[in-house]
Amino acid sequence: MPAKRLLFAFFFGFALLCSGTCLSSQEAKSSAGERRTARVQATYLAHLVRFTHWDQNHLPAGNDAPQIVIVGDDDGGFVESLEFLLGQGGLKIEGKQAKLIYFDRSREAEARAMIRECCQLVYVLPSSSLTVREINTLTEKAVVFGSGKEFVTKDQGDVAFISSRNRVKLVVSEKYFKRTSPKLSSKLVNLKSVVEIIPNPSRVPEPG
């Protein structure tokens, strides 16, 4: 099966699976529902990473592992879900197994130092005080993930997770497709049931 059809099959099939397993809004608020959502988010993140290209100068030198930094307090099991994927060999950046580094809110200063040193992806949990603007002053090598549509539309992040009708969806900035590195494959543009594309600010029409 061609790679594009495999991609379509994964995202559509997985979205339907998640829709079927999220049975009610009451359950979604429970601990089990939060962990299910975390697993979905972690899986989506891993597949977006798979379809992202980094230039060589945006990767660690030599045999050092590419790094994913998560910042903020995690009460929903997101870090645990990503660690599971790592253990299964399912989280690679440009063919290399990634390294996951987690900093809770009390260690945000350490997170800033790590981001400045070298990392390829930053996930900002809702409890973190770290902003997209600050991350962009520390590095140009990383994709910046967060939560809520405004993380992309207002804060200018690259990707955000949102929940819609008890399903996890992705809000993705157009710049993630347009820039040279890190650059998301344009194949995901057509996955409209799962992915919402937000135009670059310069391309948003002025109000009439």
Side-chain angles (χ1 to χ4, degrees):
M1 183 182 293
K4 186 173 181 179
R5 291 178 63 186
L6 281 173
L7 177 64
F8 282 6
F10 168 78
F11 272 102
F12 284 125
F14 196 73
L16 289 172
L17 175 63
C18 295
S19 177
T21 54
C22 294
L23 299 178
S24 68
S25 58
Q26 182 177 359
E27 180 186 19
K29 294 177 182 178
S30 70
S31 176
E34 290 174 356
R35 290 189 175 277
R36 183 180 300 111
T37 297
R39 289 195 296 269
V40 175
Q41 292 175 340
T43 305
Y44 275 1
L45 183 148
H47 280 267
L48 285 181
V49 166
R50 178 184 174 190
F51 287 94
T52 298
H53 166 72
W54 280 264
D55 284 346
Q56 195 62 38
N57 63 330
H58 285 174
L59 295 169
N63 294 320
D64 291 347
Q67 298 187 126
I68 294 174
V69 171
I70 301 177
V71 190
D73 293 335
D74 177 34
D75 300 320
F78 181 77
V79 173
E80 182 182 354
S81 296
L82 272 185
E83 287 176 338
F84 174 79
L85 291 174
L86 275 168
Q88 299 297 310
L91 195 49
K92 295 183 178 181
I93 291 176
E94 294 293 345
K96 287 185 176 182
Q97 184 74 1
K99 179 180 180 181
L100 179 63
I101 306 171
Y102 170 54
F103 300 95
D104 62 25
R105 283 196 66 182
S106 68
R107 300 174 62 207
E108 286 190 347
E110 295 175 64
R112 290 178 176 88
M114 178 62 67
I115 293 167
R116 183 185 293 111
E117 180 182 339
C118 183
C119 76
Q120 282 59 55
L121 187 149
V122 180
Y123 184 85
V124 183
L125 291 164
S127 62
S128 175
S129 65
L130 202 61
T131 65
V132 176
R133 182 187 295 272
E134 184 175 6
I135 293 168
N136 289 338
T137 65
L138 297 172
T139 183
E140 59 178 16
K141 303 175 181 179
V143 181
V144 185
F145 278 69
S147 301
K149 189 170 183 177
E150 286 194 348
F151 186 82
V152 175
T153 60
K154 181 179 178 181
D155 300 337
Q156 302 301 303
D158 293 318
V159 185
F161 295 115
I162 61 171
S163 295
S164 175
R165 299 178 182 177
N166 293 330
R167 290 171 57 185
V168 175
K169 298 182 71 174
L170 297 163
V171 178
V172 182
S173 173
E174 186 183 43
K175 66 184 179 184
Y176 190 8
F177 295 99
K178 298 295 185 181
R179 65 192 178 206
T180 304
S181 173
K183 177 184 175 66
L184 184 62
S185 170
S186 60
K187 294 175 182 178
L188 275 77
V189 172
N190 295 321
L191 302 182
K192 294 181 181 178
S193 70
V194 180
V195 180
E196 179 182 356
I197 309 300
I198 304 299
N200 289 334
S202 61
R203 296 187 57 186
V204 176
E206 292 292 332

